[in-house]
Amino acid sequence: MSATGIIIGEDGRSRCHWHANLPDYMRYHDEEWGRPVTNDIRLFEKICLEGFQSGLSWLTILRKRENFRAAFAGFDFEKVALFGEEDVARCLADAGIIRHRGKIVSTINNAKRAIALRDEFGSLAHYFWRFEPGHNERPGVVDREHIVANPTTPTSVIISKDLKKRGWTFVGPTTVYAFMQAMGLVNDHLEGCFCRPEVEAMRAVLVRP
């Protein structure tokens, strides 16, 4: 890896360094991370999984993602909101996910809050995308130094505070910014990564909700 944070893969492509050339992590980097998402289920899934990641690595969560989907009804928040104590116990007994009672209960709570958010704004997508940072809020160059120095941003702080005020949990500013990066509200693929112009092209034609 160079000081820029870019590594060259065996396929000759330049990528952000963080996937470490692990096949599943590289696929996530190439095909998902940073590509804009406006689907409510995927947005809810991601913000919940980012909460589960707290204190862990995203790779740990990624490799358990299908198990999480099975445990939490595909992250259909209408269904998750109906979970009760039996479901909490079931999840706590599920070795395929992170068995953290607080995070499990948080996901159920956040599903209820997601319904309220959708009812108020029409969709989770509309709520989140209204916070998309403008060009004046973004760095001129997205490099490794910038990413390392900015685990949160003023926008992620604002969203975090607003969500907490609405009763959401496990949605701190760092968690929210990781969500923003992954869901394409910002393009934090590094300069020189082959995905960066692809994501920019997708964002340019995206119909904002």
Side-chain angles (χ1 to χ4, degrees), residues 44 73 76-84 107-115:
F44 179 70
D76 181 335
F77 49 87
E78 293 272 7
K79 295 177 180 177
V80 177
L82 300 175
F83 279 18
T107 300
I108 299 168
N109 168 74
N110 290 350
K112 297 172 183 176
R113 306 286 79 78
I115 291 172

Side-chain angles (χ1 to χ4, degrees), residues 28-39:
Y28 174 73
H29 167 275
D30 290 0
E31 299 175 5
E32 291 189 53
W33 193 79
R35 295 175 188 268
V37 174
T38 58
N39 176 277

Side-chain angles (χ1 to χ4, degrees), residues 180-192:
M180 292 172 64
Q181 291 173 308
M183 297 288 94
L185 274 78
V186 295
N187 182 2
D188 272 353
H189 280 283
L190 302 179
E191 298 290 343

Side-chain angles (χ1 to χ4, degrees), residues 16-86:
C16 307
H17 66 91
W18 49 259
H19 60 78
N21 282 322
L22 299 169
D24 52 350
Y25 215 8
M26 187 186 298
R27 186 163 56 250
Y28 174 73
H29 167 275
D30 290 0
E31 299 175 5
E32 291 189 53
W33 193 79
R35 295 175 188 268
V37 174
T38 58
N39 176 277
D40 277 7
I41 299 297
R42 284 194 59 200
L43 290 167
F44 179 70
E45 173 187 274
K46 184 59 177 174
I47 202 159
C48 290
L49 290 181
E50 288 291 351
F52 271 101
Q53 183 195 343
S54 180
L56 303 168
S57 74
W58 173 248
L59 183 59
T60 298
I61 303 301
L62 179 64
R63 288 177 171 171
K64 293 178 179 288
R65 185 166 62 174
E66 289 305 322
N67 297 330
F68 275 108
R69 287 171 173 168
F72 288 100
F75 287 95
D76 181 335
F77 49 87
E78 293 272 7
K79 295 177 180 177
V80 177
L82 300 175
F83 279 18
E85 230 5 86
E86 288 185 1

